[in-house]
Amino acid sequence: MASLVSSPASPSISFPSTNPSSDRHHHRFLQTSRRHVVRCGIHDSLRFDNGSVPPSMPVINDSMLPGLYPGVRGLQGGIGRQNSRLRIFSGTANPALSQEIANYLGLELGKIKIKRFADGEIYVQLQESVRGCDVFLVQPTCPPANENLMELLIMIDACRRASAKNITAVIPYFGYARADRKTQGRESIAAKLVANLITEAGAHRVLACDLHSGQSMGYFDIPVDHVYGQPVILDYLASKMICSDELVVVSPDVGGVARARAFAKKLSDAPLAIVDKRRQGHNLTEVMNLIGDVKGKVAVMVDDMIDTAGTIAKGAALLHQEGAREVYACSTHAVFSPPAIERLSSGLFQEVIITNTIPLHEQKSFPQLTVLSVANLLGETIWRVHDDCSVSSIFQ
């Protein structure tokens, strides 16, 4: 936990004047000022509580996932709004997640005015001083992606013009991340373009959660802290007490093998299976065959996002054909573009486990859906960035 350590003031030190014509200034006195040094004393890796979600959605209780600390970070560390240079501001994309993060840190969300004019232009005004502060702007670029991205850029610009010392864009879901390379001639690489926009707007750092591909970090010319939603989902699966001999982790496509392999290693080193598919076009897939054995086992499908759910639904159908006893779908980002809800609630899945990086409207809820919160994960990362502590040790 952070502690304040005060060093005693040094005695006055006198120096002879180097200007002989100024006898009245024969001695000059320098008094060193008392300073406070904030040190980080965090050594253990973390476990996270599941946060709150709308009442219509299933949620696990705190006893299943013991928290890192018995109280919120802010109260434990004595941060307090009045003596901290840390400021958290929320855009309009996911205010519920922003509030959970602020609660974990023991802070109030910063006062900010965001409105849209009749012609669709966005207006942003900070309603408190951030001069010399460490500012974190929480804004996923989820649908509507263009609106939320532009709002984030204007928020960054407002903080830069208000003389914030450091500006960190906290992007739980990074839109345009799938456009990270050219697959055909004359295509744009929109992920790089968006990275340039965020940098040029004035951000000093980006904090992102489960990027679609790790190479997207290289598109930024500023530091990027990449956190993973794996600990939250793994803790929840561990609470279900599924026998490790019955588990198999499934990658829904060849591109997600590295992600699934890392997930399987932390899930009792479970075996791995791969769904081979052929993509016919954007948002259209065709499953061909299965690599690996799932007969009589509990299959856990892992992906970074679920958009239209075509890939994961066809993969689940194939797993059932190959003899899987149960199929779980795990994903960090729930984009849920139509017809995702119909596919996910069709009975193929025992449970669909997602996080709240993207706000989920009540009409998108269905009985098999479980929503976990990444607020404590992001809150702890924000604190460590602010306090110049290690972020990678969270996942060790």
Side-chain angles (χ1 to χ4, degrees):
M1 194 57 58
S3 58
L4 294 177
V5 181
S6 301
S7 58
S10 303
S12 299
I13 304 173
S14 61
F15 297 92
S17 173
T18 57
N19 187 356
S21 63
S22 303
D23 293 338
R24 66 181 181 277
H25 298 298
H26 183 66
H27 293 288
R28 191 164 47 133
F29 298 95
L30 299 176
Q31 179 75 32
T32 60
S33 61
R34 186 182 300 271
R35 66 178 61 182
H36 297 286
V37 181
V38 179
R39 295 175 180 170
C40 178
I42 303 171
H43 304 286
D44 299 328
S45 57
L46 308 180
R47 295 171 66 86
F48 303 95
D49 292 332
N50 182 38
S52 59
V53 294
S56 62
M57 301 177 187
V59 62
I60 57 177
N61 56 46
D62 292 342
S63 62
M64 292 182 181
L65 299 178
L68 175 63
Y69 301 107
V72 296
R73 159 69 77 177
L75 297 178
Q76 291 286 322
I79 299 175
R81 179 81 174 193
Q82 66 279 5
N83 59 4
S84 173
R85 289 287 184 177
L86 175 60
R87 296 289 187 270
I88 309 291
F89 290 92
S90 173
T92 61
N94 198 344
L97 176 60
S98 304
Q99 186 61 62
E100 287 185 50
I101 293 172
N103 291 344
Y104 177 79
L105 292 168
L107 299 173
E108 295 179 2
L109 284 176
K111 296 182 175 69
I112 185 171
K113 182 179 181 180
I114 303 174
K115 69 177 184 180
R116 283 165 173 76
F117 293 106
D119 63 353
E121 294 181 9
I122 301 172
Y123 172 84
V124 174
Q125 182 191 30
L126 304 178
Q127 302 201 304
E128 60 181 78
S129 174
V130 295
R131 185 178 297 273
C133 292
D134 200 359
V135 176
F136 292 80
L137 306 174
V138 183
Q139 175 80 342
T141 55
C142 53
N146 298 332
E147 285 274 321
N148 291 329
L149 173 60
M150 193 64 196
E151 184 178 304
L152 173 62
L153 297 176
I154 297 175
M155 290 170 65
I156 294 171
D157 183 70
C159 292
R160 179 175 64 87
R161 296 180 187 279
S163 301
K165 184 178 181 181
N166 290 302
I167 304 169
T168 301
V170 181
I171 310 175
Y173 171 72
F174 182 61
Y176 288 104
R178 286 175 283 185
D180 56 359
R181 64 191 184 279
K182 291 180 68 173
T183 58
Q184 301 178 41
R186 300 176 296 281
E187 282 187 336
S188 68
I189 304 179
K192 172 58 177 172
L193 173 62
V194 173
N196 288 344
L197 290 171
I198 293 172
T199 304
E200 291 302 319
H204 300 101
R205 179 183 294 269
V206 167
L207 197 168
C209 183
D210 271 331
L211 291 170
H212 185 64
S213 61
Q215 68 198 40
S216 298
M217 288 186 286
Y219 295 157
F220 291 89
D221 296 325
I222 54 178
V224 177
D225 289 303
H226 188 202
V227 300
Y228 303 91
Q230 276 188 0
V232 179
I233 298 175
L234 285 167
D235 279 350
Y236 176 67
L237 288 174
S239 72
K240 300 188 76 65
M241 305 297 291
I242 302 172
C243 180
S244 59
D245 295 335
E246 299 177 351
L247 279 173
V248 57
V249 175
V250 182
S251 174
D253 54 35
V254 176
V257 171
R259 182 186 303 107
R261 184 185 293 117
F263 193 90
K265 185 176 181 181
K266 294 184 178 180
L267 195 63
S268 304
D269 202 15
L272 185 66
I274 304 168
V275 176
D276 181 35
K277 69 177 184 180
R278 297 292 185 267
R279 185 174 295 275
Q280 304 298 319
H282 294 294
N283 295 331
L284 296 174
T285 62
E286 180 180 353
V287 173
M288 300 300 293
N289 51 32
L290 179 70
I291 304 170
D293 180 27
V294 298
K295 188 174 183 178
K297 295 188 177 182
V298 177
V300 179
M301 301 188 73
V302 180
D303 209 348
D304 63 319
M305 70 174 71
I306 299 176
D307 190 356
T308 61
T311 298
I312 205 163
K314 290 185 178 180
L318 178 63
L319 293 176
H320 281 294
Q321 292 174 14
E322 295 294 328
R325 193 172 80 241
E326 294 177 349
V327 179
Y328 289 79
C330 300
S331 177
T332 303
H333 309 300
V335 182
F336 285 3
S337 303
I341 303 303
E342 290 78 6
R343 288 170 172 170
L344 295 173
S345 60
S346 63
L348 289 171
F349 300 96
Q350 180 75 14
E351 192 171 0
V352 178
I353 305 165
I354 62 170
T355 72
N356 61 344
T357 57
I358 297 175
L360 195 67
H361 301 295
E362 193 168 344
Q363 59 268 28
K364 291 187 176 181
S365 178
F366 52 93
Q368 298 92 343
L369 184 65
T370 297
V371 182
L372 309 178
S373 178
V374 293
N376 288 7
L377 172 66
L378 293 176
E380 185 64 31
T381 305
I382 287 172
W383 167 250
R384 291 185 179 215
V385 170
H386 170 70
D387 202 31
D388 295 327
C389 296
S390 171
V391 172
S392 61
S393 60
I394 295 176
F395 307 99
Q396 292 175 355

